[in-house]
Amino acid sequence: MKNLFKILSLSVLGILLVSCEKDEDKAVISETSAGKISSDKNTIVLSELTANEAVISFSWTKPSFNIAVVPSQQIEFGIKGDNFKKSATVDFSNDVMAGSVTHAAMNAAMFNIGAIPDVVNDIEARLKTSVGSAAFYSNVIALKVTPYTPNPDLVYPKINVPGSYAAAAGYADWTPGNSPNLFSPGKNSEYRGFIYVTAANSEYKFTINEDWAGDKGDDGTFTGKLVEAGEVNVKAATAGTYYLKVDWAANTYSSVLANFGIIGDATPAGWGSDTDFVYNPATKTYVINSIMLNSTGMFKFRGNDDWTLKFQPSKYDQTLVSGKAVQTYFNAENTVTNDPGYKVSEAGNYKIELDLHNSAYYKLTVTKL
């Protein structure tokens, strides 16, 4: 028994010695001098027309560390005052100490951090140096950046909805490359969007990459199940606007009738009646060509003369500027909080245009006539 105890004791001691040696061998990285960054300008206006050209250049001094490392480095951007809680980065190779950012890359970063398009945003930038999971930061520099609204057609994945209805909606019948699209704001397998149908029992399918290869249709049960082989065309039961959702990976879809109009005490009909939009195939938008709006009341856009489906500001009541397009939000997509509405600052006759062609960026424009 004594010998056994000695053996166990020696084993435990050996384990402890090995553990100590391993802990001593572990190097703790620390920064001996911080990086420092500067830019060639502090005010920039981004333009999609020069998307691939450099708009701003940065230069920096790398941080130094107590041990030899090969770190990665990025320029990190955030909204001023947000402490980089929501940030976006642009990568640079680890052997450089200067680099430029294009209009397109800068605009993508601004879009990802929630900068507001077409106005000046106060932005902060810093050098982020990473060694494994450890991150080290330089000084912060202030920038004033005016982003542009990115073309969502180029930013988000999409599938196509070719069918017999498309020509009447301003596209071409049964042509995947010239059909309404459903976009994926989450950049995943879930797509959504609107189509306009002029005739009952119009048929359509779903395609990807603007081609017929891999097209999908109903499995024949019309219960929202998609198949690639042996499929049948999906049918729109009545004429009107439909809100479609497709999960390409799960092979499911849904279709809901959604005909929109304006309602509110800013309109002649008040809260008791809607004035409906009319689809314009030439512009592929929904239009009310003329309606009197007062400046004291509010208005909203609702579907099917009911309050289940609405287009609204994202959170707070919003005063619209004549001729200036703004992003509007669909409450069924969980992008709206509270129950906000719109108003105009000046009474008069207005043209109202609702662009629903891309579910990643629904657009609303009111123009005083």
Side-chain angles (χ1 to χ4, degrees), residues 14 22 32 34 39 62 71 77 83 125 144 166 176 211 213 238 251 263 301 312 338:
K22 287 183 177 178
T32 57
S39 62
K62 295 183 178 184
F77 301 97
N83 198 29
K144 290 189 178 293
D211 195 0
T238 63
N251 288 315
I263 190 170
F301 306 101
Q312 302 172 267
N338 304 322

Side-chain angles (χ1 to χ4, degrees), residues 140-211:
V140 175
I141 59 175
L143 304 173
K144 290 189 178 293
V145 182
T146 303
Y148 58 86
T149 300
N151 183 349
D153 293 1
L154 303 177
V155 173
Y156 297 97
K158 63 186 178 183
I159 59 174
N160 331 114
V161 194
S164 61
Y165 72 96
Y171 300 87
D173 284 348
W174 295 113
T175 306
N178 188 11
S179 297
N181 298 308
L182 307 182
F183 288 82
S184 176
K187 297 183 179 180
N188 50 31
S189 69
E190 298 176 3
Y191 300 84
R192 66 196 189 202
F194 292 87
I195 64 170
Y196 177 72
V197 175
T198 58
N201 295 317
S202 293
E203 299 183 347
Y204 57 90
K205 283 186 176 182
F206 302 107
T207 62
I208 197 165
N209 299 323
E210 299 184 344
D211 195 0

